[in-house]
């Protein structure tokens, strides 16, 4: 965010205040002239000059009201483009290279053979069809088949069941979102180019965070904290990311995700962030997938977040950790935009909102295919998923 934006904001604000002051003064004067005209007419005296003065005042007031609306619109536009303020506990840094590792859980598997990338595994097992996905939709869309489709569905149900046991209430929201809701959570106007805009002004949900957080838009909440979980298909144009992860399903235009959303009081929100992060981690632990947690530095922090932990799962074929979840505390940034409050003896306050992926389902499929692959080309199914897959213990080419 350049200083030009702040300079423009201050300039528009000064002009807006000046117009407000002049408008208020003229409206007071109009009241005085109105009484003078009434008195002159009552005394049967000529009121023409006062009437002309009134018309001139009304004309100027209208002119000022137009300017006030214009300045207010420009101020709101700029304000919506200003990111959240990082938490004091967010590390200072320029980019992802400055993100400190908080903890590492699990050891990457030592393979006795060269591990294949997930797209090769998926094609050889005939469970991922990239060619037909591209044929019916375009690049960045994939068809899951057979045990691949079953694995994706099993993961969704498994994640929702675990999070329900953790105390989250499951909801199933719409995936068509209006502009007000998209603005409330910070997707608009900042990320407009990354969203899919449909007919009638609706946007396809980029994440369940948007509809779930906005369930309480323009409301007072009670009995905080509130924990919600939801599955949605997610849609992103991935604008500006051409050439990144062009193969496989790590970066897709349509993907599935299970989301965790919390609404908390300000004094407990950072405690809730730590718990939410652990709740998302539990999925990786149960699946026995090696991962690490990093704390995003100021230069890598998202637009709406005050503090974020990224969960990164180990991807053997790439020999590196890849993001599979971001767990963030937005403090009252989203609540101010969406007008979500709670009552206190001192008066209304904005809630703190938090969310995290629990997890990105497609990337979990990637991690399972690569970490559980066998030399003969088959893939072992993690033990906790087997009840969700009809008892199957492996994925093998039919």
């Amino acid at each position: 965010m350049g200083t030009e934006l702040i300079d423009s904001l201050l300039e528009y604000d000064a002009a807006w205040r000046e117009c407000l002051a002049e408008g208020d003064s003229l409206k007071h004067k109009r009241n005085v002239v109105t009484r003078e005209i009434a008195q002159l007419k009552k005394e049967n005296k000529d009121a023409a000059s006062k009437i002309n003065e009134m018309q001139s005042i009304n004309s100027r007031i209208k002119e000022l009201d137009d300017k006030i609306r214009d300045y207010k619109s420009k101020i709101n536009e700029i304000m919506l483009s200003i990111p959240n303020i990082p938490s004091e506990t967010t590390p200072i840094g320029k980019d992802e290279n400055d993100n400190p590792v908080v903890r590492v859980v699990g050891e990457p598997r030592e393979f006795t053979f060269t591990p294949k990338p997930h797209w090769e595994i998926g094609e050889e097992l005939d469970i991922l069809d990239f060619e037909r996905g591209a044929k019916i939709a375009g690049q960045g869309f994939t068809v899951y088949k057979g045990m691949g489709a079953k694995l994706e569905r099993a993961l969704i149900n498994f994640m929702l069941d675990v999070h329900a046991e953790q105390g989250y209430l499951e909801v199933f929201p719409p995936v068509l979102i209006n502009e007000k809701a998209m603005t409330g959570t910070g997707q608009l106007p900042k990320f407009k180019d990354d969203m899919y805009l449909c007919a009638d002004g609706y946007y396809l949900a980029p994440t369940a965070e948007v509809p779930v957080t906005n369930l309480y838009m323009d409301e007072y909440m009670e009995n905080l904290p509130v924990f919600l979980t939801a599955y949605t298909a997610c849609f992103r144009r991935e604008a500006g990311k051409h050439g990144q992860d062009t193969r496989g399903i790590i970066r897709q235009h349509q993907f599935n995700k299970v989301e965790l959303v919390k609404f908390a009081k300000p004094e407990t929100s950072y405690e809730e962030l730590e718990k939410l992060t652990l709740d998302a981690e539990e999925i990786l632990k149960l699946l026995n997938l090696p991962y690490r947690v990093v704390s995003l530095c100021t230069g890598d922090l998202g637009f709406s977040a005050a503090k974020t932990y990224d969960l990164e799962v180990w991807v053997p074929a790439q020999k590196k950790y890849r993001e599979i979840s971001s767990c963030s505390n937005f403090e009252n940034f989203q609540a101010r935009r969406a007008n979500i409050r709670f009552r206190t003896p001192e008066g209304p306050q904005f809630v703190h909102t938090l969310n995290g992926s629990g997890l990105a389902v497609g990337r979990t499929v990637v991690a399972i295919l690569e970490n559980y692959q066998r030399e003969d080309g088959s893939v072992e199914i993690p033990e906790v998923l087997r009840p969700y897959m009809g008892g199957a213990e492996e994925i093998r080419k039919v």
Side-chain angles (χ1 to χ4, degrees):
M1 182 178 65
T3 57
E4 299 85 1
L5 196 64
I6 299 300
D7 290 342
S8 295
L9 176 62
L10 295 174
E11 182 182 327
Y12 288 134
D13 183 68
W16 173 67
R17 292 176 186 277
E18 185 178 326
C19 287
L20 277 177
E22 184 182 350
D24 288 344
S25 177
L26 285 174
K27 287 170 184 175
H28 172 71
K29 187 174 182 180
R30 181 174 61 185
N31 291 337
V32 172
V33 174
T34 298
R35 289 194 293 270
E36 291 175 346
I37 291 172
Q39 185 63 34
L40 287 170
K41 288 184 175 180
K42 184 178 180 180
E43 297 173 357
N44 293 320
K45 293 181 179 179
D46 184 12
S49 63
K50 287 295 180 181
I51 292 173
N52 288 336
E53 184 180 359
M54 172 71 81
Q55 291 173 341
S56 177
I57 292 172
N58 283 336
S59 178
R60 178 58 180 163
I61 288 174
K62 183 181 183 305
E63 184 180 316
L64 288 169
D65 284 345
D66 290 341
K67 286 186 176 182
I68 288 168
R69 280 192 295 271
D70 183 52
Y71 288 138
K72 190 64 176 176
S73 176
K74 287 182 168 65
I75 289 170
N76 287 340
E77 184 179 345
I78 293 174
M79 290 291 286
L80 288 173
S81 300
I82 296 176
N84 200 356
I85 299 172
S87 161
E88 292 181 357
T89 61
T90 293
I92 305 297
K94 293 182 179 179
D95 54 36
E96 61 183 12
N97 296 313
D98 295 326
N99 295 338
V101 176
V102 177
R103 54 185 169 271
V104 178
V105 180
E107 292 288 336
R109 172 184 167 190
E110 293 290 339
F111 287 87
T112 57
F113 59 95
T114 302
K116 296 178 182 178
H118 69 276
W119 58 84
E120 287 186 18
I121 300 170
E123 288 179 325
E124 290 174 5
L125 291 175
D126 197 26
I127 60 174
L128 297 175
D129 195 327
F130 303 105
E131 185 176 336
R132 287 188 171 91
K135 179 173 67 174
I136 60 176
Q139 294 298 324
F141 296 89
T142 301
V143 175
Y144 289 73
K145 299 164 61 179
M147 291 294 279
K150 198 166 188 175
L151 176 61
E152 182 92 357
R153 179 162 51 89
L155 281 167
I156 293 168
N157 288 329
F158 165 66
M159 291 175 187
L160 289 171
D161 285 350
V162 170
H163 297 318
E165 291 173 2
Q166 292 169 335
Y168 294 82
L169 174 67
E170 182 182 348
V171 295
F172 190 41
V175 294
L176 284 176
I177 314 296
N178 62 37
E179 183 175 338
K180 183 177 180 181
M182 292 287 278
T183 302
T185 44
Q187 276 70 28
L188 292 179
K190 174 70 174 178
F191 302 106
K192 186 173 184 178
D193 291 342
D194 209 24
M195 304 297 113
Y196 279 104
L197 178 60
C198 304
D200 303 321
Y202 289 107
Y203 290 84
L204 287 173
T207 165
E209 166 199 346
V210 182
V212 175
T213 303
N214 282 286
L215 287 174
Y216 296 98
M217 178 171 56
D218 295 325
E219 290 187 27
Y220 283 94
M221 297 190 69
E222 298 179 357
N223 302 317
L224 292 171
V226 171
F227 306 156
L228 302 177
T229 186
Y231 152 73
T232 62
C234 305
F235 305 86
R236 297 181 191 172
R237 294 181 59 213
E238 297 289 357
K241 297 192 174 75
H242 300 296
Q244 298 183 29
D245 297 307
T246 54
R247 301 194 68 179
I249 56 174
I250 284 184
R251 195 176 300 280
Q252 295 276 278
H253 294 306
Q254 177 182 335
F255 55 96
N256 295 311
K257 195 147 67 82
V258 171
E259 200 76 7
L260 304 174
V261 175
K262 287 188 174 186
F263 302 86
K265 293 180 179 179
E267 60 268 26
T268 63
S269 67
Y270 277 96
E271 178 184 345
E272 293 298 347
L273 174 61
E274 299 298 324
K275 292 178 180 177
L276 184 147
T277 305
L278 290 173
D279 289 340
E281 286 182 62
E282 185 64 16
I283 301 297
L284 292 166
K285 290 177 181 177
L286 290 170
L287 292 171
N288 198 24
L289 292 169
Y291 70 94
R292 69 180 186 181
V293 181
V294 300
S295 182
L296 298 195
C297 69
T298 51
D300 197 30
L301 196 64
F303 175 79
S304 301
K307 183 169 185 173
T308 296
Y309 293 117
D310 267 7
L311 310 187
E312 299 178 341
V313 70
W314 179 252
V315 180
Q318 296 184 12
K319 296 182 179 179
K320 63 180 180 180
Y321 291 95
R322 296 300 305 267
E323 178 199 338
I324 198 168
S325 171
S326 284
C327 300
S328 302
N329 186 353
F330 305 101
E331 296 190 356
N332 62 20
F333 183 84
Q334 293 180 329
R336 286 181 179 275
R337 295 164 72 110
N339 192 31
I340 307 172
R341 295 176 288 176
F342 70 104
R343 293 181 174 88
T344 73
E346 294 75 30
Q349 286 191 42
F350 290 103
V351 303
H352 278 197
T353 62
L354 306 89
N355 84 270
S357 304
L359 304 164
V361 182
R363 294 191 178 198
T364 309
V365 169
V366 169
I368 289 172
L369 293 182
E370 294 203 13
N371 283 281
Y372 279 89
Q373 62 181 295
R374 296 168 173 159
E375 191 169 6
D376 65 1
S378 64
V379 173
E380 181 186 357
I381 296 171
E383 190 171 345
V384 292
L385 286 183
R386 293 173 188 175
Y388 293 86
M389 298 192 68
E393 298 181 0
E394 64 180 7
I395 301 175
R396 184 176 292 276
K397 189 171 183 179
V398 178

